[in-house]
Amino acid sequence: MTERSPTPPVPADGQAVAHRFIDIDGMQIFYREAGPRDAPVLLLPHGYPCSSFQYRRLMPALADKWRLLAPDYPGFGLSDTPPVGNFAFDFDAYAAFLQAFCNKLGLDRYGLYLHDYGSQIGLRLAIRRPERVAALIIQNGDIYEDTLGPKYKAIQEFWRDPSPKNRAVLEEAVSEEGFRAEFVGEVPEAQAAQIPPDLWKLHWPLMNTPQRREVSRKLMEGLKQNLEWFPRYQSYLREHQPPALIVWGPNDGYMPEESARAYLRDIPKAELVLTDGGHWLLETHLEQVVPVIRRFLSSAHSH
């Protein structure tokens, strides 16, 4: 019987995502991290109704060349939900949180992935610290009032008339069925089948507390004040002209194709890539989107 030479141990996956907790202003914050510590940083603020989980597939696909960081906001995902008196739970408070997260991790330059609510929060961070922004990837995040899609109707009704009846519509949206509709409500059946039910089935139990439901509803109500920020987001883009990639799924009742094209008014040199997907492109079109993102980030960081 021949003796086998000992098998060398298999090294750990260099592109694996690490799952960590960090203390930010007394809150236990969960975040995902991948890639070399000394690589260019891509910051991934999440949207609604989600958490850093939405980036779980993108992160390993870029981790060979970039350092990726995706925190769960306070009141979302696996992060703490502090008492209302300790945290404001509005877009400004979340931008301040993102800034504190960057400071804590010593991030002084980063690309920003702008998606859904993360686009509002990320752009507020960019306005606070424009010198830190290396590039923007804009994916289904709206900042142009004249291109808002038909799905805004219920929220706009509430803004016009904040009656109990109109508030009830928003409260119903903050439910497991409401979350499911956000993920699969608008894409063709074949694409909907690619979106894992884990996105709402696992996230809803985390969000189903009285305070977290209230936080979610208040953020929807707060979109009205956010509209007043739209011109500020636009002037930031006009003034600073950050390198930008606009990659979009037009099957989106909140943010149709016009919402993507509107960005070209302020950043005409941005690259625009339209797919046949919807709001959750990283679930349905990851393989098409990753090469585009890699090429863009490589070129943005070489300048």
Side-chain angles (χ1 to χ4, degrees):
M1 184 175 152
T2 56
E3 275 191 31
R4 291 186 181 174
S5 57
T7 312
V10 177
D13 182 355
Q15 286 169 246
V17 176
H19 306 88
R20 309 187 194 281
F21 285 90
I22 192 171
D23 183 282
I24 306 273
D25 299 332
M27 300 178 284
Q28 275 290 101
I29 296 300
F30 173 78
Y31 70 103
R32 298 167 200 261
E33 179 175 17
R37 287 286 172 102
D38 57 352
V41 172
L42 182 61
L43 192 60
L44 301 159
H46 65 80
Y48 171 88
C50 210
S51 67
S52 60
F53 187 73
Q54 74 175 76
Y55 294 116
R56 73 202 177 283
R57 297 174 68 220
L58 178 68
M59 294 177 78
L62 300 176
D64 58 329
K65 284 192 174 179
W66 292 277
R67 182 184 181 193
L68 301 116
L69 291 153
D72 286 355
Y73 307 142
F76 283 84
L78 303 178
S79 288
D80 275 355
T81 310
V84 173
N86 295 10
F87 191 83
F89 295 105
D90 58 17
F91 290 112
D92 245 3
Y94 284 125
F97 156 74
L98 264 191
Q99 189 173 340
F101 178 78
C102 291
N103 292 344
K104 185 87 180 215
L105 288 171
L107 312 177
D108 54 13
R109 191 134 172 93
Y110 39 74
L112 273 169
Y113 194 103
L114 303 178
H115 177 253
D116 195 84
Y117 283 3
S119 57
Q120 329 292 348
I121 295 161
L123 283 169
R124 288 185 192 219
L125 175 67
I127 288 167
R128 284 164 170 256
R129 301 306 300 265
E131 75 286 353
R132 291 185 171 183
V133 178
L136 300 178
I137 297 168
I138 305 163
Q139 190 247 300
N140 294 70
D142 49 345
I143 63 164
Y144 295 90
E145 193 174 355
D146 62 321
T147 63
L148 296 180
K151 246 183 128 173
Y152 268 100
K153 189 165 180 283
I155 299 173
Q156 287 165 329
E157 285 295 324
F158 175 80
W159 296 341
R160 272 196 293 275
D161 170 23
S163 64
K165 177 172 159 252
N166 288 335
R167 178 176 270 111
V169 176
L170 300 191
E171 282 167 357
E172 281 163 31
V174 182
S175 63
E176 184 179 313
E177 184 50 40
F179 280 19
R180 192 191 80 84
E182 293 291 343
F183 287 109
V184 296
E186 295 155 339
V187 290
E189 208 175 310
Q191 284 181 25
Q194 293 175 277
I195 297 176
D198 319 50
L199 278 162
W200 60 93
K201 284 285 186 189
L202 296 182
H203 193 54
W204 173 245
L206 291 175
M207 298 305 289
N208 190 15
T209 71
Q211 190 186 348
R212 285 191 165 199
R213 290 197 307 271
E214 178 76 353
V215 165
S216 295
R217 188 177 58 75
K218 279 267 175 29
L219 277 171
M220 278 194 258
E221 291 180 16
L223 284 169
K224 185 177 184 181
Q225 285 75 49
N226 195 47
L227 287 181
E228 294 156 21
W229 275 75
F230 278 15
R232 295 169 75 172
Y233 302 147
Q234 294 158 20
S235 67
Y236 159 78
L237 294 174
R238 273 197 309 278
E239 185 184 337
H240 292 281
Q241 295 295 317
L245 166 68
I246 305 160
V247 59
W248 212 268
N251 297 322
D252 185 334
Y254 288 114
M255 303 153 209
E257 182 178 325
E258 295 73 35
S259 299
R261 294 191 179 280
Y263 278 93
L264 298 173
R265 302 170 193 171
D266 295 310
I267 38 173
K269 290 184 180 161
E271 179 184 0
L272 173 63
V273 176
L274 294 168
T275 69
D276 63 351
H279 195 73
W280 303 95
L281 274 190
L282 300 182
E283 302 297 336
T284 58
H285 288 65
L286 189 77
E287 286 191 12
Q288 295 92 310
V289 163
V290 163
V292 174
I293 291 175
R294 290 181 68 88
R295 180 173 45 75
F296 167 72
L297 286 176
S298 296
S299 126
H301 284 291
S302 64
H303 290 164

